[in-house]
Amino acid sequence: MKSMFDAACSLSKSWTATVLRVWGPALAAFAIILSSGFYANTLFSTALSQSLRSF
């Protein structure tokens, strides 16, 4: 019984490590893209309002 539990624990640990190794960079890139997109959106709307005000 104990060996079953140990096997399940090591399996879940390796599974978590694999998921983090595979999806970690993708999630980080996604977060960076989202935050930079939000920043660019803010800059764009600010520039747009500035240019509209100058007209």
Side-chain angles (χ1 to χ4, degrees):
M1 191 64 190
K2 178 114 170 62
S3 62
M4 269 290 270
F5 183 71
D6 286 344
C9 277
S10 67
L11 185 70
S12 72
K13 271 185 199 153
S14 66
W15 182 80
T16 308
T18 306
V19 166
L20 282 177
R21 200 180 313 126
V22 171
W23 289 103
L27 286 174
F30 187 63
I32 290 169
I33 289 168
L34 270 183
S35 58
S36 65
F38 179 73
Y39 183 65
N41 195 14
T42 309
L43 278 180
F44 181 70
S45 59
T46 306
L48 195 66
S49 64
Q50 287 290 332
S51 63
L52 282 177
R53 204 172 296 145
S54 66
F55 273 128

PDB file of all heavy atoms in Angstrom, residues 28-48:
ATOM      1  N   ALA A  28       4.253  32.014 -19.408  1.00  0.00           N
ATOM      2  CA  ALA A  28       5.009  33.244 -19.180  1.00  0.00           C
ATOM      3  C   ALA A  28       4.946  34.147 -20.413  1.00  0.00           C
ATOM      4  O   ALA A  28       4.726  35.359 -20.297  1.00  0.00           O
ATOM      5  CB  ALA A  28       6.461  32.913 -18.837  1.00  0.00           C
ATOM      6  N   ALA A  29       5.113  33.550 -21.587  1.00  0.00           N
ATOM      7  CA  ALA A  29       5.031  34.336 -22.822  1.00  0.00           C
ATOM      8  C   ALA A  29       3.642  34.929 -22.997  1.00  0.00           C
ATOM      9  O   ALA A  29       3.494  36.081 -23.402  1.00  0.00           O
ATOM     10  CB  ALA A  29       5.396  33.454 -24.023  1.00  0.00           C
ATOM     11  N   PHE A  30       2.626  34.131 -22.659  1.00  0.00           N
ATOM     12  CA  PHE A  30       1.250  34.616 -22.772  1.00  0.00           C
ATOM     13  C   PHE A  30       1.018  35.796 -21.834  1.00  0.00           C
ATOM     14  O   PHE A  30       0.424  36.802 -22.219  1.00  0.00           O
ATOM     15  CB  PHE A  30       0.293  33.468 -22.437  1.00  0.00           C
ATOM     16  CG  PHE A  30      -1.146  33.800 -22.672  1.00  0.00           C
ATOM     17  CD1 PHE A  30      -1.599  34.103 -23.950  1.00  0.00           C
ATOM     18  CD2 PHE A  30      -2.042  33.800 -21.623  1.00  0.00           C
ATOM     19  CE1 PHE A  30      -2.935  34.403 -24.168  1.00  0.00           C
ATOM     20  CE2 PHE A  30      -3.373  34.104 -21.834  1.00  0.00           C
ATOM     21  CZ  PHE A  30      -3.821  34.404 -23.109  1.00  0.00           C
ATOM     22  N   ALA A  31       1.529  35.693 -20.612  1.00  0.00           N
ATOM     23  CA  ALA A  31       1.375  36.787 -19.652  1.00  0.00           C
ATOM     24  C   ALA A  31       2.112  38.036 -20.127  1.00  0.00           C
ATOM     25  O   ALA A  31       1.600  39.147 -20.026  1.00  0.00           O
ATOM     26  CB  ALA A  31       1.903  36.354 -18.282  1.00  0.00           C
ATOM     27  N   ILE A  32       3.312  37.851 -20.683  1.00  0.00           N
ATOM     28  CA  ILE A  32       4.080  38.997 -21.183  1.00  0.00           C
ATOM     29  C   ILE A  32       3.351  39.650 -22.352  1.00  0.00           C
ATOM     30  O   ILE A  32       3.236  40.878 -22.429  1.00  0.00           O
ATOM     31  CB  ILE A  32       5.495  38.534 -21.590  1.00  0.00           C
ATOM     32  CG1 ILE A  32       6.306  38.177 -20.337  1.00  0.00           C
ATOM     33  CG2 ILE A  32       6.208  39.613 -22.395  1.00  0.00           C
ATOM     34  CD1 ILE A  32       7.598  37.481 -20.648  1.00  0.00           C
ATOM     35  N   ILE A  33       2.825  38.815 -23.257  1.00  0.00           N
ATOM     36  CA  ILE A  33       2.094  39.355 -24.413  1.00  0.00           C
ATOM     37  C   ILE A  33       0.855  40.106 -23.953  1.00  0.00           C
ATOM     38  O   ILE A  33       0.551  41.195 -24.452  1.00  0.00           O
ATOM     39  CB  ILE A  33       1.729  38.216 -25.378  1.00  0.00           C
ATOM     40  CG1 ILE A  33       2.997  37.709 -26.075  1.00  0.00           C
ATOM     41  CG2 ILE A  33       0.703  38.663 -26.398  1.00  0.00           C
ATOM     42  CD1 ILE A  33       2.791  36.415 -26.827  1.00  0.00           C
ATOM     43  N   LEU A  34       0.144  39.529 -22.974  1.00  0.00           N
ATOM     44  CA  LEU A  34      -1.058  40.193 -22.469  1.00  0.00           C
ATOM     45  C   LEU A  34      -0.714  41.538 -21.850  1.00  0.00           C
ATOM     46  O   LEU A  34      -1.362  42.544 -22.131  1.00  0.00           O
ATOM     47  CB  LEU A  34      -1.745  39.304 -21.424  1.00  0.00           C
ATOM     48  CG  LEU A  34      -2.787  38.323 -21.941  1.00  0.00           C
ATOM     49  CD1 LEU A  34      -3.401  37.589 -20.764  1.00  0.00           C
ATOM     50  CD2 LEU A  34      -3.871  39.031 -22.733  1.00  0.00           C
ATOM     51  N   SER A  35       0.316  41.559 -20.986  1.00  0.00           N
ATOM     52  CA  SER A  35       0.656  42.807 -20.310  1.00  0.00           C
ATOM     53  C   SER A  35       1.184  43.837 -21.297  1.00  0.00           C
ATOM     54  O   SER A  35       0.841  45.016 -21.213  1.00  0.00           O
ATOM     55  CB  SER A  35       1.685  42.546 -19.206  1.00  0.00           C
ATOM     56  OG  SER A  35       2.838  41.961 -19.748  1.00  0.00           O
ATOM     57  N   SER A  36       2.007  43.407 -22.262  1.00  0.00           N
ATOM     58  CA  SER A  36       2.518  44.374 -23.242  1.00  0.00           C
ATOM     59  C   SER A  36       1.396  44.843 -24.156  1.00  0.00           C
ATOM     60  O   SER A  36       1.387  45.997 -24.579  1.00  0.00           O
ATOM     61  CB  SER A  36       3.647  43.742 -24.053  1.00  0.00           C
ATOM     62  OG  SER A  36       3.148  42.675 -24.836  1.00  0.00           O
ATOM     63  N   GLY A  37       0.449  43.967 -24.450  1.00  0.00           N
ATOM     64  CA  GLY A  37      -0.689  44.373 -25.256  1.00  0.00           C
ATOM     65  C   GLY A  37      -1.539  45.404 -24.535  1.00  0.00           C
ATOM     66  O   GLY A  37      -1.989  46.378 -25.134  1.00  0.00           O
ATOM     67  N   PHE A  38      -1.721  45.198 -23.231  1.00  0.00           N
ATOM     68  CA  PHE A  38      -2.470  46.168 -22.446  1.00  0.00           C
ATOM     69  C   PHE A  38      -1.739  47.500 -22.408  1.00  0.00           C
ATOM     70  O   PHE A  38      -2.336  48.563 -22.553  1.00  0.00           O
ATOM     71  CB  PHE A  38      -2.661  45.624 -21.018  1.00  0.00           C
ATOM     72  CG  PHE A  38      -3.411  46.551 -20.118  1.00  0.00           C
ATOM     73  CD1 PHE A  38      -4.777  46.735 -20.273  1.00  0.00           C
ATOM     74  CD2 PHE A  38      -2.752  47.239 -19.115  1.00  0.00           C
ATOM     75  CE1 PHE A  38      -5.468  47.589 -19.446  1.00  0.00           C
ATOM     76  CE2 PHE A  38      -3.446  48.101 -18.285  1.00  0.00           C
ATOM     77  CZ  PHE A  38      -4.809  48.272 -18.453  1.00  0.00           C
ATOM     78  N   TYR A  39      -0.407  47.451 -22.265  1.00  0.00           N
ATOM     79  CA  TYR A  39       0.405  48.670 -22.231  1.00  0.00           C
ATOM     80  C   TYR A  39       0.336  49.396 -23.570  1.00  0.00           C
ATOM     81  O   TYR A  39       0.152  50.617 -23.619  1.00  0.00           O
ATOM     82  CB  TYR A  39       1.846  48.281 -21.892  1.00  0.00           C
ATOM     83  CG  TYR A  39       2.783  49.453 -21.743  1.00  0.00           C
ATOM     84  CD1 TYR A  39       2.607  50.366 -20.713  1.00  0.00           C
ATOM     85  CD2 TYR A  39       3.837  49.635 -22.625  1.00  0.00           C
ATOM     86  CE1 TYR A  39       3.468  51.437 -20.572  1.00  0.00           C
ATOM     87  CE2 TYR A  39       4.690  50.697 -22.493  1.00  0.00           C
ATOM     88  CZ  TYR A  39       4.500  51.598 -21.462  1.00  0.00           C
ATOM     89  OH  TYR A  39       5.347  52.659 -21.336  1.00  0.00           O
ATOM     90  N   ALA A  40       0.448  48.637 -24.659  1.00  0.00           N
ATOM     91  CA  ALA A  40       0.375  49.245 -25.988  1.00  0.00           C
ATOM     92  C   ALA A  40      -1.013  49.827 -26.235  1.00  0.00           C
ATOM     93  O   ALA A  40      -1.144  50.893 -26.835  1.00  0.00           O
ATOM     94  CB  ALA A  40       0.715  48.199 -27.049  1.00  0.00           C
ATOM     95  N   ASN A  41      -2.033  49.146 -25.757  1.00  0.00           N
ATOM     96  CA  ASN A  41      -3.401  49.630 -25.907  1.00  0.00           C
ATOM     97  C   ASN A  41      -3.564  50.953 -25.169  1.00  0.00           C
ATOM     98  O   ASN A  41      -4.174  51.902 -25.673  1.00  0.00           O
ATOM     99  CB  ASN A  41      -4.377  48.584 -25.367  1.00  0.00           C
ATOM    100  CG  ASN A  41      -5.794  48.866 -25.819  1.00  0.00           C
ATOM    101  OD1 ASN A  41      -6.030  49.649 -26.714  1.00  0.00           O
ATOM    102  ND2 ASN A  41      -6.738  48.209 -25.173  1.00  0.00           N
ATOM    103  N   THR A  42      -3.020  51.035 -23.962  1.00  0.00           N
ATOM    104  CA  THR A  42      -3.094  52.273 -23.182  1.00  0.00           C
ATOM    105  C   THR A  42      -2.355  53.404 -23.906  1.00  0.00           C
ATOM    106  O   THR A  42      -2.865  54.515 -24.014  1.00  0.00           O
ATOM    107  CB  THR A  42      -2.479  52.057 -21.787  1.00  0.00           C
ATOM    108  OG1 THR A  42      -3.077  50.897 -21.212  1.00  0.00           O
ATOM    109  CG2 THR A  42      -2.724  53.240 -20.890  1.00  0.00           C
ATOM    110  N   LEU A  43      -1.148  53.089 -24.402  1.00  0.00           N
ATOM    111  CA  LEU A  43      -0.381  54.102 -25.138  1.00  0.00           C
ATOM    112  C   LEU A  43      -1.135  54.561 -26.372  1.00  0.00           C
ATOM    113  O   LEU A  43      -1.193  55.753 -26.671  1.00  0.00           O
ATOM    114  CB  LEU A  43       0.971  53.521 -25.559  1.00  0.00           C
ATOM    115  CG  LEU A  43       2.072  53.512 -24.506  1.00  0.00           C
ATOM    116  CD1 LEU A  43       3.331  52.907 -25.102  1.00  0.00           C
ATOM    117  CD2 LEU A  43       2.358  54.912 -24.010  1.00  0.00           C
ATOM    118  N   PHE A  44      -1.729  53.617 -27.091  1.00  0.00           N
ATOM    119  CA  PHE A  44      -2.437  53.937 -28.321  1.00  0.00           C
ATOM    120  C   PHE A  44      -3.642  54.828 -28.040  1.00  0.00           C
ATOM    121  O   PHE A  44      -3.857  55.831 -28.718  1.00  0.00           O
ATOM    122  CB  PHE A  44      -2.876  52.636 -28.998  1.00  0.00           C
ATOM    123  CG  PHE A  44      -3.602  52.862 -30.296  1.00  0.00           C
ATOM    124  CD1 PHE A  44      -2.920  53.324 -31.406  1.00  0.00           C
ATOM    125  CD2 PHE A  44      -4.955  52.614 -30.393  1.00  0.00           C
ATOM    126  CE1 PHE A  44      -3.580  53.528 -32.598  1.00  0.00           C
ATOM    127  CE2 PHE A  44      -5.624  52.819 -31.588  1.00  0.00           C
ATOM    128  CZ  PHE A  44      -4.933  53.277 -32.690  1.00  0.00           C
ATOM    129  N   SER A  45      -4.414  54.478 -27.003  1.00  0.00           N
ATOM    130  CA  SER A  45      -5.587  55.291 -26.692  1.00  0.00           C
ATOM    131  C   SER A  45      -5.171  56.678 -26.214  1.00  0.00           C
ATOM    132  O   SER A  45      -5.829  57.670 -26.522  1.00  0.00           O
ATOM    133  CB  SER A  45      -6.450  54.594 -25.641  1.00  0.00           C
ATOM    134  OG  SER A  45      -5.711  54.380 -24.465  1.00  0.00           O
ATOM    135  N   THR A  46      -4.063  56.774 -25.480  1.00  0.00           N
ATOM    136  CA  THR A  46      -3.573  58.076 -25.031  1.00  0.00           C
ATOM    137  C   THR A  46      -3.153  58.926 -26.222  1.00  0.00           C
ATOM    138  O   THR A  46      -3.516  60.100 -26.322  1.00  0.00           O
ATOM    139  CB  THR A  46      -2.378  57.893 -24.074  1.00  0.00           C
ATOM    140  OG1 THR A  46      -2.781  57.021 -23.016  1.00  0.00           O
ATOM    141  CG2 THR A  46      -1.958  59.216 -23.484  1.00  0.00           C
ATOM    142  N   ALA A  47      -2.387  58.305 -27.144  1.00  0.00           N
ATOM    143  CA  ALA A  47      -1.952  59.035 -28.339  1.00  0.00           C
ATOM    144  C   ALA A  47      -3.146  59.443 -29.187  1.00  0.00           C
ATOM    145  O   ALA A  47      -3.175  60.545 -29.744  1.00  0.00           O
ATOM    146  CB  ALA A  47      -0.994  58.163 -29.151  1.00  0.00           C
ATOM    147  N   LEU A  48      -4.131  58.566 -29.277  1.00  0.00           N
ATOM    148  CA  LEU A  48      -5.313  58.876 -30.068  1.00  0.00           C
ATOM    149  C   LEU A  48      -6.082  60.052 -29.468  1.00  0.00           C
ATOM    150  O   LEU A  48      -6.466  60.985 -30.187  1.00  0.00           O
ATOM    151  CB  LEU A  48      -6.217  57.628 -30.133  1.00  0.00           C
ATOM    152  CG  LEU A  48      -7.316  57.646 -31.195  1.00  0.00           C
ATOM    153  CD1 LEU A  48      -6.679  57.619 -32.576  1.00  0.00           C
ATOM    154  CD2 LEU A  48      -8.223  56.444 -31.010  1.00  0.00           C
TER     155      LEU A  48
END
